[in-house]
Amino acid sequence: MHVRREKRSWMRRGVGAGAVLALLPALAGLAPAGAAEPPPPPPDGTIFEPERLPYGPEVPGKLTVPAGFTVTEYAAGLGNPRILAVGPDGTVYATRRQTGDVIALLDTDRDGDADRTVRVAHGLKRVNGITVHENVLYLATDKKILTAPLRGAGTIGRLRTIVDDLPDAGQHPNRTLAVGPDGYLYVTVGSTCNACDDTNPENATILRMPLDGKGRIIYAKGLRNTIGFGWVPGTRALYGMDHGSDWRGDDQPPEELNRIERGANYGWPWCFADKQVDPYIPNQPTPFTKSRFCAATKAPALTYQAHSAPLQMLFSTSASFPRDYRGDAFVAMRGSWNRSQPAGYKVVRVRFDGTTPVAVEDFLTGFLTADGTGVYGRPVGLAQLPDGSLLVGDDTMGTVYRVAATR
């Protein structure tokens, strides 16, 4: 076990002109900054790293799901599986960022666990995002978006680069992507830092572009690091889970579930939660005070425990899960490192009432030991198999689990 305290600083510059100009319509009529706001408090945080425990065949039995579900091992020994996607034939694809490749998991006898693993692409530095649309595989590295036709049985055609100039990655290189109900490709681009004014206006955003990668726009901004996102089934209501900044104590700022709307600004780095000013940012978004700037941003639909680290997000359309799960979302919470008591290390269910999220509850737990000192893995990827069961990928133990309904 290793615990240490560390203080960090961040860039100290004013907000970029682009960020302010984007909010000018909402800020119309507000007076320029007047009285100075209080000086920022010192950074506050603890690095706590639970001990990684050995993986064995008994681990799936340590995991807990609600009554009426079972959890089993789907595949193991995979190294560093990150984001998951499922092809039309049921083949599961997983990116592996550390080795820069993509693997396919095949369940050839359809017995509920993969019996074959095939590497389908390699040489992809920092590959993370993956999605399948109309039999085409889309991949995202920190700088590129690539596509390839699916050939079936764990094979793909030639990879083609359609974008090669995504913004520099910095601290958050894990791009994700998905095709929306409008037929456009959406790509998340995190900030380069913990809390600073990024100079590239495409950082801390979600981009939207045609499927050929040309003519992209900034769809939404002020999003520090939104990795998991998706649409409420049958609608165009887009939601994403954003990571709050570090070094602000155990319980702030919260992770945010945002309804993502075109042209909206969600406040980072100046604001968090319900348009709350981040007091740790030492300067002002010229020419406005932080409080006035934040008043014109969009607040989250829900918030969740700080430092939980939301990764892939998946809306359920499963016909085999109980009916009340349909239209709800699952989110993989990879787990904290900047909190004195660990948070996350689980998969949660976000309950929706129509297109409105109303509550978050535990769904798959047990990765973290009861005393919080050890972990059996860190969930990252989520996917739904054709039979409606849920796959959960763990990039620490190299395992993918299958959660199935028993009734």
Side-chain angles (χ1 to χ4, degrees):
M1 187 67 55
H2 184 56
V3 181
R4 71 181 186 275
R5 292 190 176 273
E6 178 180 331
K7 303 295 183 183
R8 291 185 181 177
S9 61
W10 43 81
M11 296 183 183
R12 300 192 175 198
R13 8 180 232 261
V15 73
V20 173
L21 288 173
L23 282 177
L24 282 179
L27 289 166
L30 297 181
E37 295 188 6
D44 178 17
T46 302
I47 293 177
F48 181 80
E49 299 173 274
E51 180 184 0
R52 175 178 168 176
L53 302 173
Y55 182 81
E58 76 284 356
V59 171
K62 296 179 182 294
L63 304 181
T64 301
V65 287
F69 292 92
T70 61
V71 55
T72 57
E73 179 188 287
Y74 186 78
L78 303 178
N80 175 238
R82 292 283 294 181
I83 306 301
L84 305 179
V86 179
D89 64 352
T91 299
V92 179
Y93 298 90
T95 56
R96 297 195 299 186
R97 186 185 60 189
Q98 289 182 359
T99 49
D101 62 5
V102 180
I103 56 174
L105 309 176
L106 294 92
D107 178 11
T108 58
D109 56 7
R110 303 299 187 199
D111 66 348
D113 62 87
D115 46 53
R116 186 176 169 217
T117 301
V118 181
R119 189 168 77 159
V120 300
H122 60 91
L124 302 172
K125 183 179 179 182
R126 288 181 170 174
V127 66
N128 187 72
I130 186 170
T131 195
V132 173
H133 176 69
E134 295 183 347
N135 217 41
V136 175
L137 186 71
Y138 292 80
L139 300 172
T141 71
D142 59 333
K143 297 290 290 184
K144 297 180 180 181
I145 300 172
L146 307 96
T147 67
L150 295 179
R151 301 298 192 202
T155 62
I156 67 172
R158 181 175 174 271
L159 280 170
R160 182 171 65 95
T161 300
I162 61 171
V163 174
D164 63 3
D165 62 345
L166 292 176
D168 289 340
Q171 184 173 325
H172 298 123
N174 299 316
R175 316 303 190 208
T176 53
L177 73 176
V179 178
D182 57 2
Y184 282 86
L185 182 64
Y186 290 73
V187 181
T188 68
V189 179
S191 66
T192 63
C193 58
N194 178 45
C196 71
D197 171 25
D198 270 312
T199 57
N200 189 327
E202 288 191 332
N203 280 112
T205 69
I206 291 181
L207 306 178
R208 191 187 79 167
M209 63 192 73
L211 297 184
D212 62 6
K214 299 176 181 178
R216 70 185 186 240
I217 64 167
I218 295 174
Y219 189 79
K221 60 177 61 179
L223 297 165
R224 178 177 176 268
N225 191 31
T226 294
I227 292 177
F229 70 101
W231 291 263
V232 177
T235 78
R236 295 196 174 192
L238 173 60
Y239 283 88
M241 288 287 307
D242 198 40
H243 292 225
S245 300
D246 300 315
W247 301 106
R248 280 139 176 77
D250 276 2
D251 297 316
Q252 68 172 1
E255 316 290 38
E256 297 182 355
L257 177 62
N258 292 302
R259 181 160 181 170
I260 308 297
E261 298 178 349
R262 183 171 180 173
N265 188 313
Y266 294 84
W268 182 90
W270 309 111
C271 332
F272 59 76
D274 190 12
K275 304 184 182 184
Q276 181 178 333
V277 169
D278 186 340
Y280 290 83
I281 300 293
N283 50 357
Q284 302 290 333
T286 306
F288 305 99
T289 63
K290 287 184 285 186
S291 59
R292 295 193 176 202
F293 183 87
C294 293
T297 62
K298 187 170 177 62
L302 287 178
T303 60
Y304 191 72
Q305 174 60 56
H307 308 298
S308 294
L311 273 293
Q312 194 162 8
M313 179 178 181
L314 173 75
F315 278 94
S316 178
T317 58
S318 174
S320 64
F321 275 28
R323 181 175 292 273
D324 68 344
Y325 277 80
R326 294 179 203 172
D328 289 352
F330 296 106
V331 182
M333 299 290 181
R334 189 172 186 269
S336 62
W337 62 269
N338 188 215
R339 193 170 190 272
S340 61
Q341 297 297 317
Y345 302 93
K346 64 179 70 172
V347 176
V348 300
R349 173 191 181 187
V350 183
R351 288 183 176 266
F352 275 75
D353 180 4
T355 59
T356 302
V358 295
V360 182
E361 61 189 42
D362 288 353
F363 181 73
L364 174 63
T365 62
F367 292 98
L368 184 69
T369 59
D371 62 4
T373 62
V375 290
Y376 290 104
R378 306 183 74 171
V380 172
L382 299 173
Q384 182 178 292
L385 287 174
D387 67 2
S389 58
L390 177 70
L391 296 184
V392 179
D394 164 16
D395 74 340
T396 301
M397 296 297 184
T399 305
V400 173
Y401 299 95
R402 177 175 175 263
V403 180
T406 59
R407 62 185 183 200

